Structure formats: C-alpha cells, structure tokens
Amino acid sequence: MAQGGKIKALGLTSLKRAASAPDIPTVEESGVKGFEFVSWYGLWGPKNLTADVSAKLQADVANVLALPDMKLRLNVLGFDPIGSNGEQFATYIRDEMAKYEKIIKDAKIRVD
C-alpha cells in the first residue's frame, strides 16, 4: 500500500531497509537509535530429535530458502529469510527473550 501511494510508511522496525521497499527508512534512521522489532519464524522438533534428522531438516530448509523464486516471493512479502542453524536460532531466541524481559520489567508490565 505504501509503494502504491495509498498510505505513507513512516519507518520499518527492522535495523535495515527491506529489499522490497528500499525507499522506506528504518525507525532508527528516523532518529530512534537501536529500535528493532521484527517478526521471526522457525522450526521446532521434539526434544529427542536426532542430530542427523535435525541437520537434514536444516539443510533442506536452507536449500528451499536459497531458491531464487522463493527468495523473491518472500522479499515481495516483506520477509528477509536467514536460514540459521539450531545453535544460532537458540541464541537468537535467548537474546530476544532477554530483550523483551527487560522491556517488560522496565515498563512494569504485568498480567492481571
């Protein structure tokens, strides 16, 4: 809608501009330093998933994400596929949880 001129995009919440919308600045570029709020997706398996099955799934997903048609389709939809391994993804999740835990504590957000 922004590219079609129907709305004005104020900024992307990722740290870098989107390939599908390079003219839209990030919130950080607009003056809010370090601002990042992105959606992410991943695959989980059972706790007892063997290393060889996990590695095969990771390799297959990485191969699909690397396909030019898939990359283009995901970019058009606003996604920037990464395709990390299990350890990288676990680290990312831990970092995200710590970031949002701090935000929740600092803002004194609680469930009633």
Side-chain angles (χ1 to χ4, degrees):
M1 290 181 76
Q3 292 169 321
K6 294 182 180 183
I7 61 170
K8 179 177 175 148
L10 301 177
L12 299 175
T13 59
S14 58
L15 290 177
K16 65 179 189 173
R17 291 186 183 210
S20 61
D23 295 336
I24 301 174
T26 65
V27 171
E28 182 175 62
E29 289 174 317
S30 298
V32 183
K33 295 296 176 207
F35 186 92
E36 179 184 29
F37 186 85
V38 295
S39 296
W40 50 266
Y41 302 89
L43 297 176
W44 283 263
K47 185 177 183 178
N48 60 350
L49 187 67
T50 62
D52 60 325
V53 171
S54 179
K56 170 112 175 76
L57 287 169
Q58 289 173 17
D60 289 347
V61 169
N63 287 338
V64 170
L65 291 176
L67 294 171
D69 288 348
M70 180 60 76
K71 288 176 91 168
L72 178 62
R73 180 69 179 139
L74 290 171
N75 286 155
V76 165
L77 293 171
F79 295 99
D80 186 16
I82 296 170
S84 60
N85 66 37
E87 287 182 27
Q88 292 166 326
F89 188 44
T91 298
Y92 182 79
I93 292 169
R94 278 192 299 275
D95 292 348
E96 286 288 284
M97 296 295 287
K99 176 172 71 173
Y100 293 110
E101 180 180 358
K102 180 177 179 350
I103 290 169
I104 290 166
K105 283 182 179 179
D106 289 352
K108 297 181 174 84
I109 297 170
R110 60 185 182 84
V111 177
D112 289 329

